Amino acid sequence: MSDDALFPLALVQPDTNHEGPRVIAPGAVHVPGWLNLEQQRWIVQRFGEWTQGPVPLRAATLPGGHQMSVRTVCLGWHWQPYRYTREATDVNGRPVLEFPEWMLRLGRKAVSAAYSTGAESHQALAELAVHYTPDAALVNFYDRGAAMGMHQDKDERSDAPVVSLSIGETCLFRFGNTQTRTKPYTDVELRSGDLFVFGGPSRFAYHGIPKVLPGTCPDGCGLSHGRINITMRVTGLS
Ligand code: SIN
Ligand code: MN
């Protein structure tokens, strides 16, 4: 059985134990515990494969020369500051891995789950779920001491929602506003298995990871330390 077939089987019976969506800002929704431990472990195994190449996990260097503390491997499109390419021209020139079919299906379920909040303003976003077609994923690994400054995800030529999945150590996720990288913002703890979706009026909100809490990986998530975050995006590129 192919890997693509395995994940949806596990997802046929999603965890109904989770608390349901929490609206952080219009269009920005946190769904704690959306992935169960089996699903998390399965994704961690895929992560192990992705890091084998052809493009290795790497810390991107920003235009000022500053190297990010987070290391990233990409699917579908390779992200480098600040554009998407099909080859990792800032790493080793090799082609990026394909965006997996199972992740596309998972992304649709994620958008649908996040926007089933009952809020009228979320109904139109929920209806987008069936056509949601992410074509790039940035898979970040936060090792000891890694963090990410406040930024907007704005290298995409699309305003489709960003779907974020977290596995491993708990982090502090700072979700701000579309105008400034400072207050007002809301700090949310993202734990292993959590889903966060930001679209609609929150799609271009500043956000960042001030810190990851060491030693907080739950037993059975597949990681002994560190944090994996996957963000799926629609690039709008062809
Ligand atoms: C990102 O903003 O690209 C990553 C967010 C996260 O690690 O949760
Ligand atoms: Mn981001």
Side-chain angles (χ1 to χ4, degrees), residues 68 70 72 138 140-142 147-149 151-153 162 164-166 171-174 190 196 198 207-209 212 227-231 233:
M68 293 176 73
V70 170
T72 309
L138 274 65
N140 290 322
F141 185 70
Y142 294 73
M148 192 180 289
H151 66 278
Q152 293 168 296
D153 292 354
V162 174
S164 154
L165 299 172
S166 296
C171 76
L172 193 65
F173 181 53
R174 180 159 291 172
L190 293 183
F196 197 100
F198 51 104
H207 58 278
I209 304 287
V212 177
R227 169 175 185 262
I228 294 172
N229 173 261
I230 300 177
T231 50
R233 297 120 186 265

Side-chain angles (χ1 to χ4, degrees), residues 33 35 37 40 166-170 190-194 216-218 221:
L35 294 170
L37 287 170
Q40 293 171 46
S166 296
I167 301 176
E169 288 172 344
T170 300
L190 293 183
R191 298 196 172 88
S192 199
D194 286 10
T216 53
C217 281
C221 77

Side-chain angles (χ1 to χ4, degrees), residues 13-97:
Q13 292 166 313
D15 247 349
T16 45
N17 293 333
H18 67 72
E19 298 163 28
R22 297 174 53 218
V23 180
I24 303 301
V29 182
H30 176 206
V31 188
W34 189 63
L35 294 170
N36 65 33
L37 287 170
E38 186 188 351
Q39 293 162 344
Q40 293 171 46
R41 282 196 301 276
W42 191 87
I43 293 176
V44 172
Q45 284 171 8
R46 302 289 79 70
F47 174 72
E49 295 163 2
W50 299 331
T51 59
Q52 300 302 303
V55 184
L57 202 56
R58 70 85 169 80
T61 302
L62 302 177
H66 176 77
Q67 193 172 43
M68 293 176 73
S69 55
V70 170
R71 288 181 294 156
T72 309
V73 64
C74 300
L75 308 173
W77 286 92
H78 175 79
W79 178 82
Q80 52 183 295
Y82 290 101
R83 63 196 175 107
Y84 287 100
T85 52
R86 288 293 195 189
E87 282 94 34
T89 50
D90 63 334
V91 186
N92 59 3
R94 302 291 304 279
V96 68
L97 288 166

